[in-house]
Amino acid sequence: MNQSMNSRRDFRGNKAALFDGIEEGGIRASASYSHEIDEHDNERALEGLQDRVILLKRLSGDINEEVDSHNRMLERTGNDMDASRGILSGTMDRLKMVFETKSSRKMFTLVASFVVIFLIIYYITR
């Protein structure tokens, strides 16, 4: 039993000695060559990262400009809505005043005007 274990160790030792210097990907490179490859790969990766950072910077600038333009547009829309709300409020106040007056003559004039306008439009479109 002891002899079989020793033979296994010898086999493993011989195998290690035989394949010493060979890695999975091929023959092990010297330290300086490997260092040059690593630096070259690092430089390429660094250039790729720089390009991505530049692209992201441009994209974020474009997004910022787009957001600013949308904010200005929303502000103008809000101002326009406030102005129309003021105009509509004034119109509604005038209509309330017209309908609150007890003068039947004004009411008759208003109704007669609507009827006349309706008849004119009816005869024109007919």
Side-chain angles (χ1 to χ4, degrees), residues 50-111:
Q50 286 174 341
D51 292 342
R52 289 180 183 149
V53 167
I54 290 170
L55 177 65
L56 286 173
K57 186 177 179 181
R58 285 183 191 156
L59 284 174
S60 65
D62 291 345
I63 289 171
N64 187 29
E65 288 176 14
E66 192 71 22
V67 166
D68 287 344
S69 72
H70 281 103
N71 282 340
R72 285 190 301 273
M73 189 179 355
L74 285 172
E75 188 174 330
R76 282 193 308 261
T77 304
N79 292 340
D80 291 345
M81 291 296 253
D82 288 341
S84 19
R85 185 177 301 130
I87 292 170
L88 185 61
S89 175
T91 304
M92 292 302 292
D93 288 343
R94 287 186 204 113
L95 280 175
K96 282 181 187 176
M97 231 178 9
V98 167
F99 286 116
E100 285 176 358
T101 58
K102 302 276 182 181
S103 171
S104 60
R105 184 173 182 186
K106 285 185 180 179
M107 187 60 81
F108 177 74
T109 307
L110 183 65
V111 171

